[in-house]
Amino acid sequence: MTRLSPALVRRVVARSAAVLLASVLLSVPGIDARQLPDRGTPPAPGAPPSLRLPPIERRTLPNGLQVWIVEMHEVPVVHLTAIVKSGAAADPAGRYGLAHFTAAMLDEGAGNYDALQLADAIDFLGASLSTAAGFDSSLVNLHTPASKLSQALPLLADTVLRPRFADGDLERVRKERLTSLVQTRDNPAALASAAFARLVFGPEHRYGTLTMGTQASNTAITAADLRTFHGAHYRPQNTILLVAGDVRPAELMPQLDRTFGTWSGGAAVARPTLPAVAKPAARQIYLVDKPGAAQSQIRIGGIGVARSTPDYFPLRVMNTMLGGSFSSRLNQNLREAHGYTYGASSMFDMRATAGPFVAGAGVQTDKTVESLREFFNELNGMREPTPPAELTRVRNLEALSFPGEFETTSDMTQRLTELAVYDLAPSFFTEFVPKIEAVGPEDIGRVVRQHITPDTFAVVIVGDLSKIEQPVRDANLGPVRIVPLTSILD
């Protein structure tokens, strides 16, 4: 006797139920097949919902520390982010990675707590604490139950104001960082991104080296370096404290004054000015050998724009169309139509100074050249007039998904961080949807002509050169240069 599997039984039952339901509906007097829901045409998306955000309450402590508070009382939690408006762009020459190293050491012992005691104290409250550093800022995040806020705030203040930078912890973290940098050499995707930055910006420019720095700089950084950077940049005048959650300003401010009010520092910190990088006159292809790599990691692009660009909204819509969404042209072509990759994308990394524009994917090794051709087909295709239906779809994606970026307390502080770091207008959020909807085809055409220039882009490919070098040369897509691994990460 044949035994039926549970999965087969479930499929048979489901199919029978569907047939029975259809039979019942069709047997009801007055209902025929013409009245069943039309599943062949997607519903119209409708107008974007109006975005009503809670107001940002802006206060300042007597020592100059700015505090931005957003009340969100739906869940009894609070998320705080201390933003120090200095990051890797402020690293001194020869000490690349210092801002990142300093942030990594903040929670490795602070105030009266060593590293384990601080972690235990945070865990005991059911809270979480993390640190990070990018090119333009350093962050300390605290997420805590509202009922434990008064106990968690002193731990946040210790972390920001009074890190220990103990020698034993420094050496442990240094080993972790050096190990991470060694691992980068075995990660083709990370290697391709690092190579792209180095080859586009050069070894002297701060954007040409990872925020983490190099093996040499991480080996050379001392506890004195960390203390000097912390003293120069972690100042109340250079910091904004964001608070979102189940709090009320009148009750919160006295607590903040008790925990952060004694923080003193010198004058305001000047923001670093990085030199502009000239765009190349012609396309250049760079190959990095990764013997045995199952995929070729491709990065294509050049110098992009600063976050202060007046073309922020047209560029955002244009990039969403090109490679900033699952339904983008690059992803539909390389993943869906050809199956060369799990995903292709593009982005403008907007920073205080013009960061990179890059399109990329990890593709099948034997489809490297075919993938390059499709990348350039799509990049060049952006110069054609934008189909109205595609523009409408992309604007809808941007406008309709925007409110979802404020759902949680951590979402809210993350969005406020962009406002704080780049000194954006308070009206930025409320103007977002109208400005997205105002982007027209002429705007897309203008920013494409200015910023999507495939004939001058750098093309970086990390892969098995024994398999891809000759095909890439034969494709004659541009002059080819072999780049040694040591010139990328060192």
Side-chain angles (χ1 to χ4, degrees):
M1 180 178 178
T2 303
R3 294 178 61 84
L4 298 178
S5 69
L8 179 59
V9 171
R10 285 195 295 272
R11 286 199 296 271
V12 170
V13 170
R15 188 176 303 168
S16 301
V19 172
L20 178 61
L21 177 60
S23 301
V24 169
L25 289 173
L26 291 174
S27 66
V28 175
I31 295 181
D32 60 28
R34 290 171 296 179
Q35 293 176 292
L36 293 176
D38 176 12
R39 305 298 187 193
T41 304
S50 58
L51 180 62
R52 296 188 183 87
L53 295 175
I56 304 171
E57 182 84 18
R58 297 171 188 253
R59 304 287 184 92
T60 303
L61 293 182
N63 60 5
L65 174 65
Q66 295 182 58
V67 182
W68 296 6
I69 306 168
V70 177
E71 295 185 53
M72 300 173 71
H73 298 289
E74 290 80 3
V75 181
V77 298
V78 184
H79 194 95
L80 302 98
T81 299
I83 304 172
V84 177
K85 297 174 73 172
S86 297
D91 285 345
R95 289 292 186 271
Y96 285 178
L98 181 56
H100 196 275
F101 207 148
T102 301
M105 285 293 296
L106 294 177
D107 60 352
E108 298 293 340
N112 294 323
Y113 301 93
D114 65 24
L116 289 178
Q117 289 169 337
L118 181 60
D120 284 345
I122 294 292
D123 289 347
F124 183 76
L125 299 177
S128 62
L129 187 143
S130 63
T131 66
F135 279 105
D136 298 320
S137 64
S138 303
L139 309 176
V140 180
N141 289 295
L142 172 69
H143 191 83
T144 179
S147 61
K148 303 298 182 185
L149 178 61
S150 62
Q151 296 164 268
L153 273 178
L155 301 176
L156 174 65
D158 279 343
T159 305
V160 178
L161 277 61
R162 293 175 284 275
R164 288 184 168 187
F165 300 131
D167 289 338
D169 296 316
L170 172 66
E171 295 308 319
R172 175 173 49 79
V173 173
R174 190 198 310 279
K175 288 179 181 177
E176 293 173 356
R177 295 169 66 82
L178 293 175
T179 300
S180 178
L181 287 167
V182 169
Q183 291 172 335
T184 299
R185 296 171 185 266
D186 285 331
N187 183 332
L191 199 56
S193 296
F196 180 82
R198 175 61 59 88
L199 293 165
V200 168
F201 288 97
E204 304 303 325
H205 196 284
R206 186 60 192 91
Y207 290 170
T209 300
L210 299 173
T211 55
M212 179 179 268
T214 65
Q215 291 269 346
S217 63
N218 275 271
T219 301
I221 287 172
T222 66
D225 292 327
L226 301 179
R227 293 190 180 96
T228 298
F229 187 91
H230 183 268
H233 295 277
Y234 285 67
R235 298 179 175 183
Q237 296 88 349
N238 197 38
T239 303
I240 298 178
L241 182 60
L242 309 178
V243 185
D246 191 15
V247 295
R248 299 191 186 284
E251 299 168 359
L252 176 65
M253 289 306 296
Q255 297 183 65
L256 295 180
D257 194 33
R258 287 194 294 273
T259 48
F260 288 91
T262 59
W263 190 12
S264 61
V269 179
R271 306 199 76 167
T273 302
L274 298 181
V277 178
K279 295 186 178 183
R283 184 188 302 167
Q284 175 72 53
I285 296 176
Y286 302 95
L287 299 181
V288 181
D289 194 16
K290 193 63 185 168
Q295 290 186 318
S296 294
Q297 290 289 339
I298 296 174
R299 303 290 184 272
I300 302 174
I303 307 296
V305 297
R307 180 59 185 84
S308 57
T309 175
D311 282 327
Y312 174 83
F313 292 98
L315 284 169
R316 181 158 176 147
V317 172
M318 184 271 287
N319 184 64
T320 300
M321 185 181 301
L322 172 62
S325 62
F326 189 84
S327 57
S328 68
R329 296 185 181 188
L330 287 173
N331 201 53
Q332 290 300 303
N333 182 331
L334 279 91
R335 173 193 159 98
E336 298 297 316
H338 289 98
Y340 296 157
T341 178
Y342 290 116
S345 62
S346 66
M347 67 174 294
F348 284 88
D349 189 352
M350 300 182 189
R351 304 169 183 167
T353 305
F357 162 77
V358 60
V363 304
Q364 289 177 231
T365 295
D366 62 343
K367 299 298 181 185
T368 300
V369 170
E370 290 86 344
S371 298
L372 288 172
R373 289 200 174 101
E374 294 306 327
F375 264 109
F376 284 113
N377 284 340
E378 295 301 344
L379 291 167
N380 288 314
M382 292 299 293
R383 291 178 173 270
E384 300 296 324
T386 304
E390 184 180 19
L391 180 57
T392 299
R393 178 180 57 78
V394 172
R395 287 187 308 214
N396 280 348
L397 172 60
E398 288 286 338
L400 294 169
S401 62
F402 188 62
E405 298 180 19
F406 298 88
E407 285 184 342
T408 68
T409 55
S410 59
D411 290 341
M412 177 62 77
T413 55
Q414 187 174 351
R415 293 302 317 201
L416 292 177
T417 296
E418 183 182 10
L419 220 64
V421 172
Y422 297 109
D423 300 322
L424 302 183
S427 59
F428 175 75
F429 294 147
T430 55
E431 294 175 348
F432 183 92
V433 171
K435 288 190 174 182
I436 286 290
E437 292 187 308
V439 173
E442 68 284 357
D443 299 312
I444 300 297
R446 174 172 52 80
V447 296
V448 166
R449 288 191 296 275
Q450 290 177 347
H451 302 289
I452 305 301
T453 55
D455 291 342
T456 66
F457 277 168
V459 180
V460 176
I461 309 170
V462 176
D464 189 338
L465 295 199
S466 69
K467 298 178 180 176
I468 67 171
E469 179 183 352
Q470 196 56 50
V472 170
R473 290 185 184 277
D474 293 344
N476 200 28
L477 295 170
V480 176
R481 177 181 145 198
I482 307 297
V483 180
L485 198 62
T486 53
S487 68
I488 296 170
L489 295 175
D490 295 339

